[in-house]
Amino acid sequence: MFNKILIANRGEIACRIIRTAKRMGIKTVAVYSDADASGKHVRLADEAIRIGPPPSAESYLLADKIIEACKHTGAEAVHPGFGFLSERASFCEALKAAGIVFIGPDVPAIEAMGDKITSKKIAKEAGVSTVPGFVGLIEGPEHAAEIAEEIGYPVMIKATAGGGGKGMRIAHTAEELKDGVRGAMNEARSSFGDDRVFIEKYIEQPRHIEIQVMADGHGNVVHLGERECSIQRRHQKVIEEAPSPFLDPETRAKMGAQSVALAQSVNYRSAGTVEFIADKDKNFYFLEMNTRLQVEHPVTELVTGLDLVELMIRVADGEKLPFTQDEVKMDGWAIEARVYAEDPFRGFLPSIGRLTRYEPPIDVEGIRVDDGVDEGSEISMFYDPMIAKLVAYGADRAQATSRILDAINRYRIRGVGHNLPFLSAVMAQKRFQDGDLSTNYIPEEFPDGFSGAEMDNYEQGALRALAVAFERSNAERMARISGQIANRGKAAIASVWTVREGRENRRAEVFPVEDGYDVTIEGQRYAIRGALDATIAMFDGNVNGEAFPAQIDRDGIYYKLSYAGWELAALVVPPRIAEALDKMPPKEAADTTKILVSPMPGLLVSLAVEEGDEVKTGQEVCVVEAMKMENVLRAERDGTVAKIHASAGSSLAVDQPIVEFE
Ligand code: ADP
């Protein structure tokens, strides 16, 4: 076995690989850019080598620097994780030339599967079912139109070099096709430096189902079942699970056998994933093969009990797979949610900044958190905005779902925007719980974006009651502080309070009982039991006998409570204060629609308007790139461009003005 390996990655996946290596008694070397000098992966590893400034192109993507780091530290093998250099054949070749082992497949397999057209051809030959379409390059708009006619609309235009959902467009008509081809080519050129595209049939009501394969260098290939990753936003996975609620044993066996056949046909070694798209009749079609570990591998680990990273290291070292296909057993259900630094309430714009609070739900039964950050870590604009992967295991899908929902409630992230409220809202939906998934799930269920989870009246009332109980408990504590002017706390320990949200008032009555309070709001009684200490950020007690894990923040005099993707911002005041507040004139919201500011630090990629242009609501104004994502900023209302404050190619600070309207 290797004595020392280097992990050519950062963040959660670097930490996850280091953990397994440590358990196997292998020494680890981390590499880092200046942005990650105090990163968690740096701290976890036995040694760490700086490889350059923050941009990936000047650090994590530099094969030479990584090889140099191996030589310097004596690392015998490199695990690339995913992204960065994980699917670069040239990197593997360079490692080989330097006598260092690549923990992954061989170069020919990476090359064969790295290009979507080549891989589709190979898959077809190996007897794998592929998406009907044109297995070749599109030469231009006319050629595209011809092919689309032949295949029949709707069609999908895809970049051959594609990945991460980039360079992909759907076209239902010839008109959309023209725009789509242009859009896909532009995006492919800027993302991959390669604008080759092809066209295939768009599968309707698609479900994304993928098969995990594992192969050694001795001709043994097995599959470890499927993962369903249909919950996607902009073709990027958000929630994944194993097994798939859609597959029957027969379809599973067929998909598994085809995946194994494909892996064998390219002499595959290591972990790989064969991705399929399935239609509503359980027809399935090959999309691509990823020749690396996937982000969502933990769900497979939880249902199979296997450690995929360990297996990758072992087969890279020449060992045989320690089991046969028949010995692979799947048990229970696992669901993973990707926790992103993005603001679901603002169109999922990436959010950056410091994690002023970071408390993941660890040591909770059935919960695994794969992360690469700590409290105080910086989520920077240079890398992927994923903060962590939250994974739940249960005996069945219902238990896994309820565990992950509970864990989301207990996950505390402050300082950056995050998508936990959104994840919670999705998984609480009946449609999700029924397993009625599709890659269009998010646009179908949230057509106007996300503005908070739906809460029933009872839950809303429970949050309000909790705020009242907190305020009352605080008031009691204040009154007990010695040395106070007599009677100071008296008025505050009242039993009638007003919960004020915006300008809306609700009367609440509260009565202290042993171990809590009984609060009545709008005719509903809430028995709140458990510690309501002013210092706690998480309510760990019960409401009417049921756990109600709500998070509590104080924002000035406001209470901010959150539960199940819903947030309550309220004042809890004596009724006479509420009455006085009612008499204050409402504050006019500042008019910010006249100026378009950058919602995050980033690069102004392009401007679609000029001074003097008329714009319509929803029209594209400019594109800002941050955290590897292009974000289109649109006009919030009709108007005329008065002044342009930034030029394409310039970098932007958060809230920096870009365009001013008349
Ligand atoms: P990438 O390599 O960019 O991730 P994939 O080919 O794996 O691209 O596709 C990503 C997602 O795009 C799929 O999970 C699916 O949601 C959607 N998709 C891809 N091809 C098709 C198709 N032919 N029909 C319908 N949806 C598709």
Side-chain angles (χ1 to χ4, degrees):
M1 186 43 64
F2 307 118
N3 282 312
K4 195 189 266 186
I5 65 170
L6 181 144
I7 295 92
N9 216 302
R10 62 178 299 283
E12 67 87 17
I13 193 58
C15 296
R16 188 257 164 274
I17 294 164
I18 291 169
R19 230 175 292 131
T20 289
K22 280 199 162 163
R23 188 173 48 70
M24 295 172 71
I26 301 170
K27 293 245 173 322
T28 52
V29 181
V31 290
Y32 65 92
S33 76
D34 292 335
D36 287 332
S38 57
K40 189 166 174 175
H41 75 290
V42 170
R43 235 184 28 247
L44 285 183
D46 297 302
E47 288 168 77
I49 303 283
R50 175 190 177 270
I51 47 168
S56 323
E58 296 165 41
S59 52
Y60 296 105
L61 286 170
L62 294 179
D64 292 352
K65 289 271 185 179
I66 299 205
I67 292 169
E68 221 173 88
C70 289
K71 288 187 176 152
H72 181 75
T73 56
E76 300 137 81
V78 171
H79 197 305
F82 41 69
F84 297 130
L85 295 168
S86 61
E87 291 172 289
R88 287 256 172 111
S90 57
F91 177 55
C92 306
E93 267 160 3
L95 282 177
K96 205 170 190 178
I100 301 158
V101 175
F102 178 69
I103 302 174
D106 285 326
V107 170
I110 296 176
E111 281 179 336
M113 294 296 120
D115 179 283
K116 287 195 197 220
I117 295 183
T118 316
S119 70
K120 214 168 153 178
K121 283 185 182 152
I122 295 173
K124 247 180 154 169
E125 278 161 27
V128 179
S129 153
T130 55
V131 185
F134 178 66
V135 195
L137 286 177
I138 295 303
E139 284 149 20
E142 275 132 62
H143 188 207
E146 260 168 54
I147 292 161
E149 273 322 316
E150 238 173 78
I151 302 172
Y153 288 98
V155 296
M156 191 137 192
I157 308 130
K158 282 182 166 183
T160 51
K166 292 238 168 99
M168 207 179 263
R169 295 286 187 283
I170 301 164
H172 294 86
T173 60
E175 194 58 31
E176 284 181 16
L177 182 74
K178 250 202 268 157
D179 286 353
V181 170
R182 191 173 49 99
M185 287 176 79
N186 283 343
E187 201 167 290
R189 195 178 313 117
S190 71
S191 304
F192 315 112
D194 174 350
D195 66 1
R196 295 172 304 146
V197 296
F198 67 104
I199 296 185
E200 64 186 21
K201 180 89 187 155
Y202 176 70
I203 306 297
E204 302 198 57
Q205 291 177 44
R207 297 178 74 128
H208 177 114
I209 299 175
E210 58 187 33
I211 301 283
Q212 176 71 52
V213 296
M214 192 75 216
D216 61 21
H218 306 273
N220 304 305
V221 186
V222 297
H223 73 84
L224 306 177
E226 80 282 6
R227 294 182 285 260
E228 174 154 6
C229 319
S230 294
I231 305 291
Q232 305 182 345
R233 215 176 61 75
R234 299 212 261 180
H235 304 301
Q236 289 223 52
K237 299 162 189 165
V238 180
I239 297 170
E240 302 102 338
E241 59 187 295
S244 158
F246 189 57
L247 286 199
D248 50 58
E250 214 177 292
T251 316
R252 176 175 298 124
K254 263 198 252 167
M255 288 175 100
Q258 290 193 7
S259 304
V260 167
L262 177 61
Q264 275 165 338
S265 79
V266 292
N267 291 319
Y268 202 77
R269 190 195 53 224
S270 195
T273 296
V274 183
E275 297 192 330
F276 294 94
I277 193 118
D279 69 14
K280 60 180 189 325
D281 302 318
K282 295 207 175 97
N283 296 309
F284 58 87
Y285 308 97
F286 170 76
L287 280 180
E288 63 167 346
M289 180 170 186
N290 290 321
T291 55
R292 52 164 168 83
L293 192 65
Q294 299 272 94
V295 177
E296 59 273 20
H297 76 278
V299 292
T300 299
E301 296 188 323
L302 291 177
V303 296
T304 58
L306 298 167
D307 181 330
L308 296 191
V309 171
E310 176 176 349
L311 291 170
M312 288 177 86
I313 295 173
R314 291 196 180 281
V315 300
D317 194 38
E319 287 186 24
K320 284 189 175 163
L321 280 180
F323 51 80
T324 62
Q325 185 70 61
D326 292 343
E327 287 164 342
V328 176
K329 290 278 173 290
M330 267 163 268
D331 190 25
W333 213 284
I335 300 181
E336 173 182 285
R338 299 192 189 187
V339 182
Y340 283 115
E342 62 186 13
D343 190 344
F345 302 102
R346 291 175 74 197
F348 295 93
L349 285 171
S351 178
I352 63 161
R354 198 168 290 286
L355 290 168
T356 52
R357 285 239 157 242
Y358 182 73
E359 290 162 28
I362 42 173
D363 296 330
V364 179
E365 194 186 352
I367 294 296
R368 164 173 167 180
V369 182
D370 280 20
D371 61 17
V373 294
D374 307 288
E375 195 160 287
S377 289
E378 183 94 26
I379 304 291
S380 88
M381 61 179 277
F382 296 104
Y383 313 111
D384 187 274
M386 193 166 77
I387 301 172
K389 303 185 305 209
L390 176 62
V391 203
Y393 176 80
D396 53 25
R397 193 166 186 268
Q399 189 181 39
T401 309
S402 96
R403 280 182 172 169
I404 201 165
L405 282 170
D406 183 66
I408 289 174
N409 279 329
R410 294 171 191 279
Y411 209 137
R412 192 169 174 83
I413 301 175
R414 297 292 181 272
V416 299
H418 59 79
N419 65 340
L420 286 171
F422 177 69
L423 294 170
S424 172
V426 171
M427 289 188 274
Q429 285 186 326
K430 180 167 182 304
R431 178 172 168 194
F432 179 86
Q433 296 185 358
D434 288 344
D436 177 13
L437 312 182
S438 140
T439 59
N440 298 322
Y441 188 100
I442 292 175
E444 279 168 13
E445 293 297 318
F446 302 91
D448 307 317
F450 178 68
S451 52
E454 300 234 346
M455 287 277 277
D456 61 29
N457 283 336
Y458 172 80
E459 286 170 323
Q460 293 190 16
L463 270 189
R464 291 180 185 121
L466 210 48
V468 173
F470 257 93
E471 185 60 27
R472 163 82 191 206
S473 150
N474 274 340
E476 286 173 17
R477 200 168 21 254
M478 294 297 285
R480 279 198 303 271
I481 297 172
S482 60
Q484 291 204 56
I485 299 165
N487 287 340
R488 184 192 171 282
K490 208 172 172 187
I493 326 182
S495 50
V496 177
W497 297 81
T498 298
V499 182
R500 185 175 170 87
E501 289 156 69
R503 295 181 74 81
E504 207 177 331
N505 295 328
R506 282 186 181 77
R507 180 188 152 90
E509 280 172 44
V510 53
F511 294 100
V513 294
E514 201 187 328
D515 192 29
Y517 298 90
D518 284 348
V519 182
T520 306
I521 299 177
E522 295 178 323
Q524 168 78 47
R525 192 172 143 274
Y526 300 91
I528 294 169
R529 302 289 180 269
L532 291 165
D533 193 295
T535 60
I536 67 169
M538 170 93 226
F539 176 63
D540 223 348
N542 293 322
V543 177
N544 291 342
E546 299 231 11
F548 196 83
Q551 296 190 20
I552 298 131
D553 288 277
R554 295 298 302 258
D555 182 5
I557 55 170
Y558 273 88
Y559 277 98
K560 268 200 175 165
L561 281 85
S562 55
Y563 172 77
W566 193 75
E567 279 189 5
L568 168 80
L571 277 174
V572 180
V573 289
R576 62 185 167 78
I577 303 279
E579 273 164 37
L581 288 172
D582 281 339
K583 294 193 183 108
M584 308 267 276
K587 205 164 110 193
E588 293 282 337
D591 183 9
T592 54
T593 53
K594 277 205 166 154
I595 194 142
L596 180 75
V597 298
S598 181
M600 66 232 147
L603 179 79
L604 183 59
V605 178
S606 61
L607 269 163
V609 296
E610 285 176 20
E611 286 177 11
D613 280 2
E614 299 270 333
V615 293
K616 294 256 167 272
T617 310
Q619 186 180 326
E620 172 179 331
V621 176
C622 62
V623 177
V624 175
E625 189 194 284
M627 302 171 106
K628 303 201 296 178
M629 294 267 284
E630 290 203 347
N631 303 281
V632 179
L633 305 188
R634 297 176 186 282
E636 279 184 26
R637 60 169 196 201
D638 295 359
T640 309
V641 177
K643 193 162 172 47
I644 292 187
H645 290 276
S647 55
S650 58
S651 55
L652 300 165
V654 67
D655 289 339
Q656 183 174 332
I658 305 172
V659 172
E660 202 174 319
F661 300 99
E662 266 167 20

